[in-house]
């Protein structure tokens, strides 16, 4: 059984044992290494034994084993065997990463792809596009309710192995041959309590934009001026009844769903925090050529991030996000509008939820990151938000409650 897993999506494996292969076109200008991190629930390694790389290719527990990379024709292949049933105490996740050790960046890596093999299942992971990144988190294998699951990540770092390791609680130094030396464990870090989560996110190296701006999946985030009122408007061509809601992540680590309809255990909520995030009303079926729903944002320091979600219940009938030209625009009503257009939208009629992008609330402005994440086929579960290891809010698809039919 073959399937594709898009960036941000997850899948349940039919066996805790299997392998991950990463392949790419051979080139004299690139030098790629695969490193796996054995992580706890706090996304940290427990010590030096939690890093699997070319100098330490096997974990003591047997959860992960890295085999020597091989050339097959004009393709180089890295392989990691895994057995999640052998996870040692406290280990719940394996993060599989790549580094480009010649610092030429993954934009120069051709035909990059990853596959997961488990029993008779083959999952192909569709990569994002990259620019100057020289480190990538490709995927995560993790345990959830006794099952082994995989999540496609494809998140890039400009700081290579050092940046990846610092995310997971280790530090490295490069030797004279420009290969990473054995990672050394940083002093043990305790997970942040919710009330210690910072209320700002650093917009390092981001371009502050003004005027009319278009963003596509894979492009770098941008930052806009934060004004007293910002609107997130989702539009689509008539023919189906989409519903828009917003997931809000707060300074104290809570997720609040602002939606005109409920989900299992989550009642409808039109406005949060005295109108800091407010849904401007449901638009039903009508004969207008283009329909819109609007989320108003009056951001305060209690809010770290806002994630608009586009949803169409299965009972509304089939029709892909691509077919109805679904797009999202963020307007600060001070001369700046950023739109994530629909030209890259998913064309699968059995996908019902889309996250066009995420908005981070910072002191310097509002960061807009184009995501274009989609739910699994036939899933009507909401996404959930969590604080990632680098103090950035992350979107996890299909892990939340099932939407009510309104």
């Amino acid at each position: 059984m073959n399937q594709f897993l898009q960036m941000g999506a997850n899948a349940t494996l039919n066996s805790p044992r299997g392998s991950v292969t990463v392949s790419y076109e051979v080139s004299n200008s690139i030098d790629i290494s695969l490193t796996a991190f054995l992580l706890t629930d706090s996304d940290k390694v427990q010590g030096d034994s939690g890093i699997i790389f070319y100098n330490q290719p096997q974990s003591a527990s047997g959860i992960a084993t890295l085999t020597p990379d091989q050339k097959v024709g004009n393709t180089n292949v890295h392989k990691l065997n895994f057995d999640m049933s052998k996870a040692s105490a406290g280990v719940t996740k394996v993060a599989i990463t790549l580094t480009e050790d010649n610092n030429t960046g993954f934009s120069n890596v051709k035909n990059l792809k990853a596959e997961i093999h488990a029993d008779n299942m083959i999952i192909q992971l569709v990569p994002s596009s990259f620019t100057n990144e020289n480190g990538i988190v490709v995927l995560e294998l993790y345990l959830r309710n006794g099952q082994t699951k995989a999540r496609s990540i494809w998140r890039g770092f400009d700081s290579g192995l050092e940046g990846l390791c610092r995310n997971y609680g280790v530090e490295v130094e490069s030797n004279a041959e420009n290969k990473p030396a054995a990672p050394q464990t940083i002093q043990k870090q305790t997970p942040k309590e919710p009330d210690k989560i910072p209320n700002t996110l650093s917009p390092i190296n981001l371009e502050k934009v003004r005027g009319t701006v278009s963003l596509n999946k894979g492009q770098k985030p941008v930052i806009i001026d934060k004004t007293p009122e910002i609107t997130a408007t989702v539009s689509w061509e008539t023919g189906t009844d989409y519903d828009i809601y917003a997931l809000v992540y707060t300074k104290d680590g809570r997720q609040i769903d602002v939606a005109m309809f409920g989900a299992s255990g989550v009642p409808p909520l039109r406005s949060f925090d005295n109108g800091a995030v407010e849904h401007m009303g449901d638009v039903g079926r009508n004969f207008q050529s283009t329909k819109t729903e609007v989320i108003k944002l009056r951001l305060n320091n209690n809010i770290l991030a806002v994630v608009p979600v586009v949803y169409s219940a299965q009972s509304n009938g089939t029709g892909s996000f691509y077919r109805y030209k679904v797009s999202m625009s963020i307007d600060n009503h001070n001369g700046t509008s950023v739109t994530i257009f629909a030209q890259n939208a998913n064309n699968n009629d059995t996908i019902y939820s889309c996250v066009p992008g995420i908005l981070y609330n910072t002191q310097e402005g509002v960061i807009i990151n184009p995501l274009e994440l989609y739910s699994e086929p036939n899933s009507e579960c909401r996404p959930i938000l969590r604080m990632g290891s680098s103090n950035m809010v992350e979107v996890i698809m299909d892990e939340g409650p099932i939407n009510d039919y309104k």
Side-chain angles (χ1 to χ4, degrees):
M1 180 176 62
N2 291 11
Q3 68 180 87
F4 290 88
L5 200 61
Q6 296 190 15
M7 187 174 71
N10 56 42
T12 301
L13 306 186
N14 54 13
S15 172
R17 294 174 293 277
S19 64
V20 173
T21 60
V22 177
S23 61
Y24 50 89
E25 189 174 311
V26 173
S27 170
N28 292 330
S29 65
I30 60 173
D31 184 13
I32 294 178
S33 299
L34 187 150
T35 304
F37 297 87
L38 313 183
L39 305 174
T40 65
D41 281 337
S42 62
D43 279 348
K44 302 295 181 185
V45 298
Q46 294 176 319
D48 291 348
S49 61
I51 308 106
I52 306 302
F53 66 119
Y54 66 97
N55 273 346
Q56 184 172 270
Q58 185 171 3
S59 63
S61 67
I63 188 176
T65 302
L66 180 63
T67 65
D69 57 300
Q70 294 182 336
K71 286 186 179 179
V72 180
N74 196 39
T75 300
N76 208 51
V77 181
H78 297 266
K79 184 177 181 181
L80 182 91
N81 296 317
F82 64 86
D83 187 345
M84 297 298 288
S85 68
K86 295 183 177 180
S88 56
V91 173
T92 59
K93 184 187 301 182
V94 178
I96 297 171
T97 73
L98 299 176
T99 53
E100 201 295 295
D101 301 321
N102 282 346
N103 292 316
T104 61
F106 276 92
S107 61
N108 297 310
V109 179
K110 297 180 179 179
N111 297 321
L112 176 65
K113 67 177 182 178
E115 289 186 350
I116 303 170
H117 296 250
D119 198 9
N120 64 342
M121 173 183 285
I122 300 175
I123 302 176
Q124 298 183 36
L125 279 64
V126 181
S128 174
S129 59
F130 298 102
T131 53
N132 297 323
E133 297 93 336
N134 53 16
I136 297 173
V137 181
V138 178
L139 66 108
E140 293 175 346
L141 302 168
Y142 61 101
L143 298 171
R144 181 68 55 84
N145 297 326
Q147 293 183 311
T148 298
K149 304 191 74 172
R151 179 177 294 115
S152 178
I153 305 292
W154 295 110
R155 185 170 74 245
F157 291 78
D158 292 339
S159 49
L161 182 59
E162 182 179 359
L164 291 168
C165 287
R166 287 191 181 279
N167 269 343
Y168 299 130
V170 295
E171 61 182 4
V172 298
E173 294 180 357
S174 297
N175 62 20
E177 295 180 355
N178 208 26
K179 274 282 191 178
Q184 302 295 319
T185 304
I186 292 177
Q187 184 176 0
K188 187 174 181 180
Q189 302 180 19
T190 56
K192 287 183 171 64
E193 297 297 329
D195 62 352
K196 296 181 181 179
I197 294 174
N199 63 358
T200 60
L201 300 170
S202 178
I204 298 173
N205 297 327
L206 294 182
E207 177 188 6
K208 178 165 276 191
V209 297
R210 292 179 175 85
T212 302
V213 179
S214 298
L215 281 183
N216 292 319
K217 177 180 176 180
Q219 287 186 289
K220 277 191 172 183
V222 298
I223 184 169
I224 66 173
D225 287 329
K226 181 164 57 175
T227 54
E229 184 172 285
I230 294 172
T231 52
T233 301
V234 175
S235 62
W236 66 94
E237 293 183 356
T238 193
T240 191
D241 181 18
Y242 283 114
D243 295 292
I244 315 307
Y245 59 94
L247 309 179
V248 184
Y249 197 87
T250 66
K251 179 182 175 181
D252 59 0
R254 292 181 298 147
Q255 175 178 317
I256 307 297
D257 294 13
V258 177
M260 299 295 290
F261 60 101
S264 179
V266 181
L269 180 68
R270 178 167 183 164
S271 179
F272 166 67
D273 202 1
N274 295 318
V277 180
E278 182 180 7
H279 197 299
M280 300 312 295
D282 176 54
V283 176
R285 296 180 184 272
N286 57 44
F287 297 102
Q288 295 177 348
S289 59
T290 300
K291 297 197 290 185
T292 61
E293 287 194 12
V294 177
I295 304 288
K296 276 191 178 180
L297 308 175
R298 304 172 182 94
L299 297 171
N300 57 42
N301 290 336
N302 184 43
I303 296 173
L304 291 185
V306 178
V307 178
V309 184
V310 189
Y311 169 68
S312 179
Q314 182 176 1
S315 53
N316 282 341
T318 60
S320 70
F321 289 91
Y322 179 81
R323 181 183 304 174
Y324 292 112
K325 309 300 181 188
V326 176
S327 62
M328 180 177 75
S329 294
I330 310 300
D331 195 333
N332 71 356
H333 302 282
N334 191 31
T336 302
S337 177
V338 178
T339 301
I340 302 171
F341 284 103
Q343 56 259 39
N344 295 318
N346 193 288
N347 201 21
N348 187 330
D349 284 353
T350 64
I351 289 178
Y352 307 122
S353 294
C354 168
V355 174
I358 182 170
L359 286 70
Y360 297 106
N361 180 27
T362 79
Q363 289 181 343
E364 293 84 357
V366 177
I367 298 172
I368 303 171
N369 187 12
L371 298 179
E372 284 199 42
L373 302 180
Y374 297 93
S375 58
E376 294 180 347
N378 299 308
S379 170
E380 300 203 45
C381 293
R382 290 186 179 180
I384 61 170
L385 306 181
R386 71 175 184 187
M387 180 61 70
S389 56
S390 57
N391 282 338
M392 296 294 282
V393 179
E394 299 175 343
V395 183
I396 312 300
M397 301 299 291
D398 303 301
E399 294 291 332
I402 297 175
N403 281 311
D404 293 338
Y405 177 62
K406 54 187 194 96

